[in-house]
Amino acid sequence: CATLLAGGDALLERTWAASRIFRPAGALAGPGGIPLVVYAHGCAGLDDDLRDWAELLTAHGYAVIAPDHRARGGRPPACDTSPVYRPGDIDTLVARDAELRYALRQVRTLPWVRQPAVFLLGFDQGAVVAAAYTGPPFTGYIITGWTCTSPHPRGGLATALERPVLAIRWARDPRFADPAWNGDCGARLGGRPASRSLILDGAGHSTAGDERARRAVIDFLHANTPR
């Protein structure tokens, strides 16, 4: 019923209907509701990065909803060790932006969600979309596995200036070996309040299994969740 109330395009609805939903064990929505993280997955889809973040977030009282871009159908994208997107992927990024806007509209119909506490977490290609998001704002933004640096459109950081951002990446990420991609979202934060960039010493792409990243995410959410 909530889905029908929000209405919308059929392809967008497919991605929402296929969402993975995780709620804290035994959580009952009180008068204030449950804080929520909307997860924007990477090129490879709903994989281990989602599982690891969902396990952590639900353990700390946050629900997670992860729309599935692949539910649109069509040919699966080629996900390799190249940069997280190419010029030919811009249409995909535009479509994924529309999916996030649709997901937020749907979230606004859910009575169990604490509406002032709806965050967006993006990984890999999903982080590109999250960093470039200019729609109705989320409470805060978590950008993982992305540098906010690209020689193509959709680089940079375009989130609402009054909302906090946490960016996390590895110092040596094989996706950003080319200097044209190897930047730091910290250089783009501007005056966004309570924002920071964390560059993890070491190599990797997903940050979900690193204790420093996990602690930073929980601290960020706790600091910015309205009570």
Side-chain angles (χ1 to χ4, degrees), residues 10-209:
L11 288 178
L12 300 179
E13 173 56 25
R14 280 189 203 171
T15 67
W16 172 255
S19 294
R20 296 282 303 279
I21 302 175
F22 306 83
R23 294 177 69 169
L28 296 175
I34 302 170
L36 174 70
V37 176
V38 175
Y39 176 90
H41 64 70
C43 178
L46 301 175
D47 58 9
D48 289 348
D49 187 83
L50 167 63
R51 181 202 64 198
D52 290 346
W53 284 123
E55 180 181 79
L56 175 72
L57 295 171
T58 54
H60 284 83
Y62 290 81
V64 178
I65 294 181
D68 186 359
H69 172 69
R70 292 191 171 192
R72 282 177 172 260
R75 190 178 207 173
C79 303
D80 52 28
T81 56
S82 64
V84 294
Y85 73 98
R86 302 175 184 275
D89 297 325
I90 297 299
D91 286 348
T92 296
L93 300 181
V94 170
R96 296 203 59 189
D97 179 85
E99 292 163 14
L100 284 182
R101 294 169 189 249
Y102 186 79
L104 185 56
R105 286 169 51 201
Q106 299 285 34
V107 165
R108 296 306 186 203
T109 71
L110 301 178
W112 56 269
V113 171
R114 187 184 302 176
Q115 294 298 334
V118 178
F119 296 84
L120 175 60
L121 188 161
F123 165 59
D124 183 81
Q125 189 186 83
V128 177
V129 180
Y133 180 82
T134 59
F138 289 81
T139 305
Y141 303 84
I142 302 169
I143 298 166
T144 69
W146 176 227
T147 64
C148 299
T149 305
S150 169
H152 308 309
R154 295 273 164 163
L157 183 64
T159 57
L161 291 173
E162 71 278 8
R163 302 300 170 95
V165 173
L166 171 64
I168 311 174
R169 59 158 297 196
W170 287 97
R172 297 187 301 280
D173 188 323
R175 293 294 183 97
F176 311 119
D178 185 330
W181 296 85
N182 193 18
D184 175 11
C185 291
R188 316 272 185 155
L189 292 175
R192 291 173 175 84
S195 297
R196 66 178 291 215
S197 172
L198 174 61
I199 299 180
L200 303 172
D201 183 32
H205 187 48
S206 171
T207 65

